[in-house]
Amino acid sequence: MRSIVLGSLITIFVVAGAHAVARAQTAPPIKPGLWQVQSQREIDGQKSQIPDMSEHLKNMPPETRRQMEAMMKQRGVDMSGGSMNDMKICLSKDSVDPSQWQRNQGTCTTDYVTRSSSAWKWHTSCREPAAETDGEAYFTSSDSYTVKTATTMTVQGQTRTTRMTLDSKWLGPDCGDVKPVTPPAAGHSHGVPGK
């Protein structure tokens, strides 16, 4: 169960950050390397923290915790800060290659409204699960970008709107032992950052 939850949380950050900036026909104006990503999330207007994984990790047997941390680093995510609200991801040139992300769109379609060197705006519609996302990425420099998304979806008969802001800062060209983020496998829903 924990691995399913953890996988979903990884998807939220990697997808909302890397996917949002990588899906255009040209690569985003950012540097490859290690990025610090800080997030804020609201569900139906109420601030919501993504679960603090440090408590889950702390309660795991040491060997299981090491395996979990190693698995996340293999997927491009470093949670050494202990929180999904403040983590590090590795983006390589291939990580932001638009063709890699576009081929695995699954049941989602994305239309870009604006695409300039300083801002991208888009709308994503997904069939399964049914969701509508409006997103914006602002590139303040090659060292910094912000992604804002608003996703509306119905879960168990309740319609919810999740707003997420990801502030990303480049830490350097060397990712150390954190592997670069790779596009999700075909069929996975990755157009829904708030999922």
Side-chain angles (χ1 to χ4, degrees):
M1 177 67 174
R2 284 186 178 149
S3 64
I4 293 170
V5 170
L6 191 54
S8 296
L9 293 174
I10 291 169
T11 301
I12 289 170
F13 283 97
V14 172
V15 169
H19 172 67
V21 298
R23 294 271 340 275
Q25 293 175 350
T26 58
I30 60 173
K31 295 178 181 179
L34 191 63
W35 287 80
Q36 179 177 18
V37 180
Q38 296 181 323
S39 70
Q40 298 173 11
R41 180 174 78 156
E42 287 184 5
I43 299 175
D44 296 332
Q46 301 293 316
K47 285 198 175 205
S48 172
Q49 292 290 319
I50 292 176
D52 185 351
M53 294 307 292
S54 62
E55 282 302 312
H56 293 293
L57 291 172
K58 207 174 12 176
N59 294 327
M60 289 182 181
E63 182 59 29
T64 304
R65 184 175 59 243
R66 278 191 293 278
Q67 289 173 350
M68 181 68 70
E69 290 169 345
M71 177 201 69
M72 292 185 65
K73 284 184 177 183
Q74 289 295 314
R75 292 183 178 182
V77 179
D78 177 2
M79 287 185 24
S80 59
S83 169
M84 292 299 287
N85 297 305
D86 185 4
M87 56 195 267
K88 295 175 185 142
I89 63 171
C90 179
L91 297 177
S92 68
K93 287 184 181 184
D94 289 338
S95 298
V96 294
D97 177 355
S99 65
Q100 298 298 311
W101 293 85
Q102 288 174 338
R103 74 172 184 219
N104 292 325
Q105 203 169 11
T107 65
C108 301
T109 58
T110 300
D111 295 311
Y112 283 87
V113 179
T114 304
R115 218 175 331 187
S116 72
S117 62
S118 61
W120 292 353
K121 294 182 182 182
W122 67 91
H123 179 83
T124 300
S125 294
C126 296
R127 289 189 313 269
E128 298 223 6
E132 300 292 324
T133 300
D134 289 306
E136 305 171 336
Y138 297 99
F139 308 102
T140 52
S141 71
S142 62
D143 297 346
S144 163
Y145 67 90
T146 298
V147 175
K148 295 182 177 190
T149 61
T151 300
T152 302
M153 66 187 310
T154 302
V155 178
Q156 297 178 351
Q158 290 188 325
T159 300
R160 297 194 174 264
T161 299
T162 300
R163 295 182 189 286
M164 187 170 261
T165 300
L166 304 174
D167 291 308
S168 302
K169 178 177 77 172
W170 187 69
L171 298 176
D174 184 8
C175 291
D177 61 349
V178 181
K179 299 293 182 202
V181 170
T182 57
H188 284 73
S189 175
H190 57 270
V192 188
K195 181 180 172 192

